[in-house]
Amino acid sequence: MSNSTVAVPVELIKDGAVACLYLNRPDVLNALSDDLIKTLADRLEEINSDDQIGCAVIFGRGRAFAAGADIKGMARATQEEMQKSDRLALWNRLWKFQKPLIAAVHGFALGGGCELAMGCDIIIAAEDAEFGQPEILIGVMPGAGGTQRLARAIGKYRAMEIILTGQRFSAQNAHDWGLVNRVVPKEILESEARGLARRIASQPRLAVLKSKEAILRAQDVELAQGLTFERQLFYSLFSTCDQKEGMAAFLEKRPPQWKNK
Ligand code: CAA
């Protein structure tokens, strides 16, 4: 038997109620191979059903968050193969994650890397982070949500220029345009992201899940429909112990003890 350990493409480290996921192909700037995306989806599904975990964070190991889909893995593919394998449909498993998901971005977040960050719920960027959708420079276009999510996040006109030129943009620009929540020095990226995740994980879980669900719905439906959906979720929380506890604690002027039920 060999002693050599095979590096896993995504490492999961649990830190109390926070799950930290590390994209782990540093030699290729965490290029997002099908295997990596599948492993990430497997881990997220595992975290989804882990009652101990209230929030997850994705980090990149090495000098990048992720420099995009793995070009090597698709350079020679034909249209027929791409369509038949529908490999990007794998990514839909990521977007089904129900708990809050934070992207902690340093270095490059390009192509699929930028799309992965944008598919998270909150983005924290290190000062050195560089975002972009450079697919045009290799003869294609974004395929894992870039045209849709970037346009929604920063507006049609900026998204158009970025996608059509492939130009990268800085963490500061991303922040100014509303794509990232905050920009922090690289040395504290990990502690900031874990700190925020801990804070979210300490809130009553069911109210967190329903809030996320309602906010995501805001992107897809017109306001009247979104308001009805939100109201129904709001009412549904009155079947939880945490609603009784939260409101009783407020009236009794004491801190609440969440049961996550
Ligand atoms: N796929 C496969 N390998 C990649 C990669 C990718 N997306 N990005 C980087 N790598 C590899 C490089 O081939 C290189 O490997 P070797 O050492 O074996 O040659 C290694 O990572 C380090 O990269 P560089 O030597 O190029 O590092 P650099 O600092 O000079 O440049 C970079 C960094 C500007 C990010 C450059 O690597 C680059 O332009 N990468 C490609 C970015 C890109 O086009 N992303 C979009 C991919 S398509 C996509 O994502 C489609 C989609 O929507 C799903």
Side-chain angles (χ1 to χ4, degrees), residues 31-222:
L32 303 165
S33 60
D34 291 351
D35 185 36
L36 185 150
I37 295 295
K38 185 182 171 304
T39 311
L40 182 59
D42 288 346
R43 295 291 87 81
L44 286 172
E45 282 164 14
E46 192 181 313
I47 296 164
N48 237 347
S49 48
D50 183 341
D51 290 344
Q52 302 304 311
I53 302 295
C55 187
V57 190
I58 303 179
F59 299 94
R61 288 233 193 268
R63 67 185 172 98
F65 178 73
D70 193 333
I71 298 171
K72 215 184 230 177
M74 62 185 165
R76 299 166 71 90
T78 64
Q79 179 193 354
E80 207 180 12
E81 283 158 5
M82 290 302 278
Q83 226 129 29
K84 203 162 159 211
S85 64
D86 197 10
R87 60 213 300 168
L88 290 177
L90 246 185
W91 292 57
N92 290 337
R93 286 179 58 201
L94 309 179
W95 317 141
K96 293 203 173 97
F97 186 62
Q98 289 169 328
K99 297 177 183 179
L101 185 57
I102 299 175
V105 176
H106 77 286
F108 299 111
L110 302 179
C114 187
E115 291 167 309
L116 176 60
M118 289 193 293
C120 295
D121 304 310
I122 289 175
I123 307 178
I124 301 185
E127 285 162 346
D128 76 336
E130 276 189 69
F131 296 83
Q133 297 288 158
E135 290 89 344
I136 203 90
L137 304 175
I138 54 168
V140 286
M141 61 178 279
T147 60
Q148 306 305 298
R149 289 204 172 93
L150 193 64
R152 282 168 205 220
I154 68 174
K156 170 190 141 183
Y157 303 99
R158 286 191 190 111
M160 198 65 87
E161 184 175 342
I162 283 160
I163 291 171
L164 299 188
T165 63
Q167 83 194 36
R168 304 203 288 256
F169 55 98
S170 67
Q172 194 54 53
N173 280 150
H175 183 261
D176 294 346
W177 298 341
L179 180 67
V180 315
N181 294 64
R182 56 180 96 153
V183 182
V184 301
K186 193 174 167 193
E187 312 77 68
I188 63 165
L189 177 67
E190 177 135 3
S191 60
E192 280 279 316
R194 284 188 189 223
L196 178 59
R198 260 195 301 277
R199 185 162 176 198
I200 292 171
S202 71
Q203 309 302 330
R205 297 274 161 80
L206 295 170
V208 166
L209 296 190
K210 298 292 175 201
S211 299
K212 169 171 168 168
E213 196 181 344
I215 295 166
L216 291 183
R217 189 60 70 99
Q219 321 259 312
D220 300 332
V221 299
E222 61 164 64

